[in-house]
Amino acid sequence: MSEFDLTGRRIWVAGHRGMVGAAVVRRLSTESCAILTVPRTEVDLRRQAAVEAWMTKQRPDAVVLAAATVGGIQANASRPAEFLYDNLAIEQNIIDAAYRSGVTKLLFLGSSCIYPRLAAQPIDEESLLTGPLEPTNEWYAIAKIAGIKLCQAYRRQYGCRFVSAMPTNLYGPEDNFDLLSSHVLPALLAKIHRAKIEKKPSVEIWGSGTPLREFLHVDDLADAAVFLLRRHEDDVPINVGTGVEVSIRGLAEAIAKTVGFTGSFTFDASKPDGTPRKLLKVDRLAALGWRSRIPLEQGLEQTYRWYLENLSRDGVRERR
Ligand code: GFB
């Protein structure tokens, strides 16, 4: 099938206020297309009638489905109903309304936590549904697996060009820096920054510090999303990552270097480690011709600059 040409298209970025959606909007603004967005106050994406009415009126040609209820290990484990219901509702409403309103191309964004907890590493796309999930995020993972299956089902039954991409752990501008609900990278950046300002001798890290994670800057993800909107036509989801992993302790050390913190780290064993290792195999994406460009050190510096410019000292977003 020929490449999906973005020129002159009306492209809806669902979830444009989130870190991923905002990055996709920034990236698409360099293309000759019209970007559609809708605020949450106007359309609650968990309500089918509202989504259908808006899409019937707006008639986008393409959709990047970046809307989701997301959070780190603690938020996932403590808010299972929201993580399951919100994400299932958002996906099924948008995917079905996309079919009914004649959307030509849809890119659904998932997460690397869809793969089995103990999948062989690096994780191949084919390992989906071959083993039990990581319990701390199974609610979110089940919803994201359902999203992949919806795209596959609408492809199979109705011939829709609906595809899925699975990014690894993401970070960057517009991330959530709230210490309880955020992912590890923004949490450690905020904690280490505060420890430096308050001249604290040490920073507490959840778990053992030994889990391995892969971190992709959200601008890289946005670039991959636009690439895949054009090029990806497969029924199997495609992994998006860097191919590089780091331990949580190693990440804390890298952040300390970026922030200029010279103290030590303590480890809170009462907090969960989650999956021991999560490194995506990115050969399929590389074969299509895409590679990540932002190394972790550079991404950390850029994200820290954004944090300093946009968030107040106590981590609360300033009014912009
Ligand atoms: O990023 P994170 O919350 O989520 O945690 P996952 C990654 C690792 O960092 C875990 C440790 O081993 C945490 O225990 N960690 C250390 C911390 N200190 C902190 C801290 O202060 N805050 C946080 N949040 N973690 C999520 C899933 O898994 O990844 C989601 O729950 C989603 O479903 C997302 O897939 C990408 O990488 O473990």
Side-chain angles (χ1 to χ4, degrees), residues 4 9-12 36 54-56 58-64 94-107 158-162 229:
F4 179 71
R9 303 282 195 164
R10 291 163 61 76
I11 304 179
W12 177 29
L36 308 183
W54 188 81
M55 285 187 79
T56 305
Q58 295 295 333
R59 299 230 165 247
D61 300 303
V63 178
V64 178
I94 294 179
I95 291 169
D96 187 66
Y99 159 60
R100 289 179 194 283
S101 64
V103 164
T104 305
K105 189 90 191 254
L106 179 144
L107 175 67
Y158 305 125
C160 298
R161 293 169 72 181
F162 294 176
L229 191 60

Short mmCIF file of all heavy atoms in Angstrom, two decimals, residues 4 9-12 36 54-56 58-64 94-107 158-162 229:
data_model
loop_
_atom_site.label_atom_id
_atom_site.label_comp_id
_atom_site.label_asym_id
_atom_site.label_seq_id
_atom_site.Cartn_x
_atom_site.Cartn_y
_atom_site.Cartn_z
N PHE A 4 0.90 7.09 3.27
CA PHE A 4 -0.18 8.03 3.57
C PHE A 4 0.38 9.45 3.51
O PHE A 4 1.23 9.81 4.32
CB PHE A 4 -0.77 7.72 4.95
CG PHE A 4 -1.88 8.65 5.35
CD1 PHE A 4 -3.12 8.58 4.74
CD2 PHE A 4 -1.68 9.60 6.35
CE1 PHE A 4 -4.15 9.44 5.10
CE2 PHE A 4 -2.71 10.46 6.72
CZ PHE A 4 -3.95 10.38 6.08
N ARG A 9 -4.05 17.32 4.74
CA ARG A 9 -4.96 16.48 5.54
C ARG A 9 -5.36 17.17 6.84
O ARG A 9 -4.60 17.95 7.40
CB ARG A 9 -4.27 15.17 5.93
CG ARG A 9 -3.77 14.39 4.76
CD ARG A 9 -4.88 13.65 4.08
NE ARG A 9 -4.32 12.63 3.18
CZ ARG A 9 -5.02 11.64 2.67
NH1 ARG A 9 -6.29 11.51 2.95
NH2 ARG A 9 -4.44 10.76 1.88
N ARG A 10 -6.54 16.80 7.31
CA ARG A 10 -7.00 17.25 8.62
C ARG A 10 -6.66 16.14 9.62
O ARG A 10 -7.22 15.05 9.55
CB ARG A 10 -8.52 17.47 8.58
CG ARG A 10 -8.92 18.66 7.72
CD ARG A 10 -10.41 18.63 7.36
NE ARG A 10 -11.28 18.68 8.53
CZ ARG A 10 -11.53 19.78 9.24
NH1 ARG A 10 -10.98 20.92 8.90
NH2 ARG A 10 -12.35 19.74 10.28
N ILE A 11 -5.72 16.44 10.51
CA ILE A 11 -5.23 15.40 11.43
C ILE A 11 -5.61 15.76 12.86
O ILE A 11 -5.21 16.80 13.39
CB ILE A 11 -3.70 15.23 11.30
CG1 ILE A 11 -3.37 14.91 9.83
CG2 ILE A 11 -3.21 14.11 12.23
CD1 ILE A 11 -1.91 14.74 9.53
N TRP A 12 -6.38 14.88 13.48
CA TRP A 12 -6.79 15.10 14.88
C TRP A 12 -5.77 14.47 15.82
O TRP A 12 -5.51 13.26 15.73
CB TRP A 12 -8.17 14.49 15.13
CG TRP A 12 -8.62 14.63 16.57
CD1 TRP A 12 -8.28 15.61 17.45
CD2 TRP A 12 -9.51 13.74 17.28
NE1 TRP A 12 -8.90 15.41 18.67
CE2 TRP A 12 -9.66 14.26 18.59
CE3 TRP A 12 -10.18 12.57 16.94
CZ2 TRP A 12 -10.45 13.65 19.56
CZ3 TRP A 12 -10.98 11.96 17.90
CH2 TRP A 12 -11.11 12.50 19.21
N LEU A 36 -6.11 19.29 14.14
CA LEU A 36 -7.34 19.48 14.92
C LEU A 36 -7.08 19.06 16.35
O LEU A 36 -6.43 18.05 16.60
CB LEU A 36 -8.48 18.60 14.38
CG LEU A 36 -8.82 18.67 12.89
CD1 LEU A 36 -10.01 17.77 12.61
CD2 LEU A 36 -9.12 20.10 12.48
N TRP A 54 -18.63 14.99 17.72
CA TRP A 54 -17.52 15.88 17.35
C TRP A 54 -16.84 15.39 16.06
O TRP A 54 -16.55 16.17 15.16
CB TRP A 54 -16.52 15.96 18.50
CG TRP A 54 -15.47 16.99 18.26
CD1 TRP A 54 -15.58 18.33 18.46
CD2 TRP A 54 -14.15 16.78 17.73
NE1 TRP A 54 -14.42 18.98 18.09
CE2 TRP A 54 -13.53 18.04 17.64
CE3 TRP A 54 -13.45 15.66 17.32
CZ2 TRP A 54 -12.24 18.21 17.17
CZ3 TRP A 54 -12.15 15.82 16.84
CH2 TRP A 54 -11.55 17.08 16.77
N MET A 55 -16.62 14.08 15.97
CA MET A 55 -15.94 13.56 14.78
C MET A 55 -16.80 13.67 13.53
O MET A 55 -16.29 13.91 12.43
CB MET A 55 -15.48 12.13 15.01
CG MET A 55 -14.26 12.11 15.91
SD MET A 55 -13.54 10.51 16.07
CE MET A 55 -12.63 10.35 14.55
N THR A 56 -18.10 13.46 13.68
CA THR A 56 -19.00 13.57 12.52
C THR A 56 -18.97 15.01 11.99
O THR A 56 -19.01 15.24 10.79
CB THR A 56 -20.44 13.19 12.95
OG1 THR A 56 -20.38 11.90 13.52
CG2 THR A 56 -21.39 13.19 11.78
N GLN A 58 -16.38 17.29 12.55
CA GLN A 58 -15.04 17.73 12.15
C GLN A 58 -14.46 16.94 10.98
O GLN A 58 -13.62 17.44 10.24
CB GLN A 58 -14.07 17.63 13.34
CG GLN A 58 -14.41 18.56 14.49
CD GLN A 58 -14.28 20.02 14.11
OE1 GLN A 58 -13.50 20.37 13.23
NE2 GLN A 58 -15.06 20.86 14.76
N ARG A 59 -14.87 15.70 10.83
CA ARG A 59 -14.40 14.81 9.75
C ARG A 59 -12.88 14.84 9.52
O ARG A 59 -12.41 15.22 8.44
CB ARG A 59 -15.11 15.14 8.44
CG ARG A 59 -16.58 14.96 8.51
CD ARG A 59 -17.12 14.12 7.35
NE ARG A 59 -18.48 13.70 7.67
CZ ARG A 59 -18.83 12.45 7.91
NH1 ARG A 59 -17.94 11.48 7.85
NH2 ARG A 59 -20.07 12.14 8.20
N PRO A 60 -12.11 14.43 10.55
CA PRO A 60 -10.66 14.36 10.30
C PRO A 60 -10.33 13.29 9.27
O PRO A 60 -11.07 12.32 9.11
CB PRO A 60 -10.10 13.98 11.68
CG PRO A 60 -11.24 13.49 12.49
CD PRO A 60 -12.50 14.02 11.88
N ASP A 61 -9.20 13.49 8.56
CA ASP A 61 -8.73 12.46 7.61
C ASP A 61 -7.88 11.43 8.35
O ASP A 61 -7.77 10.29 7.92
CB ASP A 61 -7.83 13.10 6.54
CG ASP A 61 -8.57 14.15 5.74
OD1 ASP A 61 -9.61 13.81 5.16
OD2 ASP A 61 -8.12 15.32 5.73
N ALA A 62 -7.23 11.88 9.43
CA ALA A 62 -6.34 10.98 10.18
C ALA A 62 -6.44 11.32 11.67
O ALA A 62 -6.80 12.43 12.03
CB ALA A 62 -4.91 11.14 9.71
N VAL A 63 -6.09 10.33 12.49
CA VAL A 63 -6.11 10.51 13.94
C VAL A 63 -4.82 9.97 14.53
O VAL A 63 -4.39 8.86 14.17
CB VAL A 63 -7.30 9.74 14.59
CG1 VAL A 63 -7.29 9.89 16.11
CG2 VAL A 63 -8.64 10.20 14.02
N VAL A 64 -4.21 10.74 15.43
CA VAL A 64 -3.14 10.19 16.27
C VAL A 64 -3.77 10.07 17.66
O VAL A 64 -4.11 11.07 18.29
CB VAL A 64 -1.89 11.10 16.31
CG1 VAL A 64 -0.84 10.50 17.24
CG2 VAL A 64 -1.33 11.29 14.91
N ILE A 94 -13.02 6.40 20.24
CA ILE A 94 -12.32 7.06 19.12
C ILE A 94 -12.17 6.12 17.93
O ILE A 94 -12.40 6.52 16.79
CB ILE A 94 -10.95 7.61 19.59
CG1 ILE A 94 -11.18 8.73 20.61
CG2 ILE A 94 -10.14 8.11 18.40
CD1 ILE A 94 -9.92 9.35 21.17
N ILE A 95 -11.81 4.87 18.19
CA ILE A 95 -11.58 3.95 17.07
C ILE A 95 -12.89 3.69 16.32
O ILE A 95 -12.94 3.73 15.09
CB ILE A 95 -10.88 2.66 17.57
CG1 ILE A 95 -9.44 3.01 17.99
CG2 ILE A 95 -10.91 1.57 16.50
CD1 ILE A 95 -8.70 1.92 18.73
N ASP A 96 -13.97 3.47 17.05
CA ASP A 96 -15.24 3.21 16.36
C ASP A 96 -15.74 4.47 15.64
O ASP A 96 -16.20 4.40 14.49
CB ASP A 96 -16.30 2.72 17.34
CG ASP A 96 -17.56 2.28 16.60
OD1 ASP A 96 -17.48 1.28 15.85
OD2 ASP A 96 -18.59 2.96 16.72
N ALA A 97 -15.62 5.63 16.29
CA ALA A 97 -16.06 6.88 15.63
C ALA A 97 -15.19 7.18 14.42
O ALA A 97 -15.67 7.73 13.42
CB ALA A 97 -16.03 8.03 16.62
N ALA A 98 -13.92 6.79 14.46
CA ALA A 98 -13.04 7.00 13.31
C ALA A 98 -13.54 6.18 12.12
O ALA A 98 -13.59 6.65 10.98
CB ALA A 98 -11.61 6.61 13.68
N TYR A 99 -13.92 4.95 12.41
CA TYR A 99 -14.46 4.09 11.34
C TYR A 99 -15.75 4.69 10.79
O TYR A 99 -15.92 4.85 9.57
CB TYR A 99 -14.69 2.68 11.91
CG TYR A 99 -15.67 1.86 11.13
CD1 TYR A 99 -15.45 1.55 9.78
CD2 TYR A 99 -16.85 1.39 11.73
CE1 TYR A 99 -16.38 0.80 9.06
CE2 TYR A 99 -17.77 0.64 11.02
CZ TYR A 99 -17.53 0.36 9.69
OH TYR A 99 -18.44 -0.37 8.98
N ARG A 100 -16.65 5.09 11.69
CA ARG A 100 -17.96 5.59 11.25
C ARG A 100 -17.87 6.93 10.52
O ARG A 100 -18.69 7.22 9.66
CB ARG A 100 -18.91 5.74 12.45
CG ARG A 100 -19.34 4.41 12.97
CD ARG A 100 -20.26 4.46 14.16
NE ARG A 100 -20.29 3.13 14.73
CZ ARG A 100 -20.98 2.12 14.21
NH1 ARG A 100 -21.72 2.30 13.14
NH2 ARG A 100 -20.93 0.92 14.77
N SER A 101 -16.89 7.74 10.86
CA SER A 101 -16.81 9.06 10.22
C SER A 101 -15.84 9.06 9.03
O SER A 101 -15.53 10.11 8.48
CB SER A 101 -16.42 10.14 11.24
OG SER A 101 -15.13 9.88 11.73
N GLY A 102 -15.35 7.88 8.65
CA GLY A 102 -14.55 7.77 7.43
C GLY A 102 -13.11 8.22 7.53
O GLY A 102 -12.52 8.67 6.56
N VAL A 103 -12.51 8.09 8.74
CA VAL A 103 -11.08 8.41 8.90
C VAL A 103 -10.24 7.44 8.05
O VAL A 103 -10.48 6.24 8.07
CB VAL A 103 -10.68 8.32 10.40
CG1 VAL A 103 -9.18 8.26 10.58
CG2 VAL A 103 -11.28 9.49 11.18
N THR A 104 -9.27 7.98 7.31
CA THR A 104 -8.47 7.12 6.43
C THR A 104 -7.37 6.40 7.20
O THR A 104 -7.12 5.22 6.98
CB THR A 104 -7.82 7.98 5.31
OG1 THR A 104 -8.87 8.67 4.64
CG2 THR A 104 -7.06 7.12 4.31
N LYS A 105 -6.69 7.13 8.11
CA LYS A 105 -5.54 6.52 8.80
C LYS A 105 -5.60 6.87 10.28
O LYS A 105 -5.84 8.03 10.64
CB LYS A 105 -4.24 7.05 8.18
CG LYS A 105 -2.97 6.36 8.65
CD LYS A 105 -2.60 5.16 7.80
CE LYS A 105 -1.51 4.33 8.42
NZ LYS A 105 -0.23 4.50 7.75
N LEU A 106 -5.37 5.89 11.11
CA LEU A 106 -5.35 6.12 12.57
C LEU A 106 -4.13 5.44 13.17
O LEU A 106 -3.84 4.28 12.85
CB LEU A 106 -6.64 5.58 13.20
CG LEU A 106 -6.76 5.72 14.73
CD1 LEU A 106 -8.21 6.01 15.14
CD2 LEU A 106 -6.29 4.46 15.46
N LEU A 107 -3.41 6.20 14.00
CA LEU A 107 -2.26 5.63 14.71
C LEU A 107 -2.58 5.61 16.20
O LEU A 107 -2.77 6.66 16.82
CB LEU A 107 -1.00 6.48 14.47
CG LEU A 107 0.23 6.05 15.26
CD1 LEU A 107 0.75 4.69 14.80
CD2 LEU A 107 1.35 7.09 15.15
N TYR A 158 -13.29 -4.31 8.52
CA TYR A 158 -13.75 -3.18 7.70
C TYR A 158 -12.67 -2.62 6.76
O TYR A 158 -12.93 -1.65 6.06
CB TYR A 158 -14.23 -2.04 8.62
CG TYR A 158 -15.30 -2.44 9.60
CD1 TYR A 158 -15.13 -2.22 10.97
CD2 TYR A 158 -16.50 -3.04 9.18
CE1 TYR A 158 -16.10 -2.57 11.88
CE2 TYR A 158 -17.47 -3.40 10.10
CZ TYR A 158 -17.28 -3.18 11.45
OH TYR A 158 -18.24 -3.52 12.34
N GLY A 159 -11.48 -3.19 6.80
CA GLY A 159 -10.41 -2.71 5.91
C GLY A 159 -9.85 -1.35 6.30
O GLY A 159 -9.28 -0.64 5.46
N CYS A 160 -10.03 -0.95 7.57
CA CYS A 160 -9.52 0.37 8.01
C CYS A 160 -8.00 0.36 8.10
O CYS A 160 -7.41 -0.63 8.55
CB CYS A 160 -10.06 0.71 9.41
SG CYS A 160 -11.84 0.84 9.49
N ARG A 161 -7.37 1.48 7.77
CA ARG A 161 -5.90 1.60 7.91
C ARG A 161 -5.60 2.11 9.33
O ARG A 161 -5.12 3.22 9.52
CB ARG A 161 -5.35 2.55 6.84
CG ARG A 161 -5.49 1.98 5.45
CD ARG A 161 -5.21 3.02 4.39
NE ARG A 161 -3.79 3.37 4.31
CZ ARG A 161 -3.32 4.28 3.46
NH1 ARG A 161 -4.14 4.94 2.66
NH2 ARG A 161 -2.02 4.54 3.43
N PHE A 162 -5.91 1.29 10.32
CA PHE A 162 -5.69 1.62 11.73
C PHE A 162 -4.50 0.79 12.22
O PHE A 162 -4.52 -0.44 12.11
CB PHE A 162 -6.93 1.30 12.58
CG PHE A 162 -8.15 2.15 12.26
CD1 PHE A 162 -9.36 1.90 12.90
CD2 PHE A 162 -8.10 3.17 11.33
CE1 PHE A 162 -10.49 2.67 12.62
CE2 PHE A 162 -9.22 3.95 11.03
CZ PHE A 162 -10.42 3.69 11.68
N LEU A 229 2.75 7.26 10.91
CA LEU A 229 1.46 7.65 10.33
C LEU A 229 1.56 7.56 8.80
O LEU A 229 0.64 7.12 8.13
CB LEU A 229 1.13 9.08 10.76
CG LEU A 229 -0.28 9.60 10.49
CD1 LEU A 229 -1.34 8.75 11.18
CD2 LEU A 229 -0.42 11.05 10.95
#
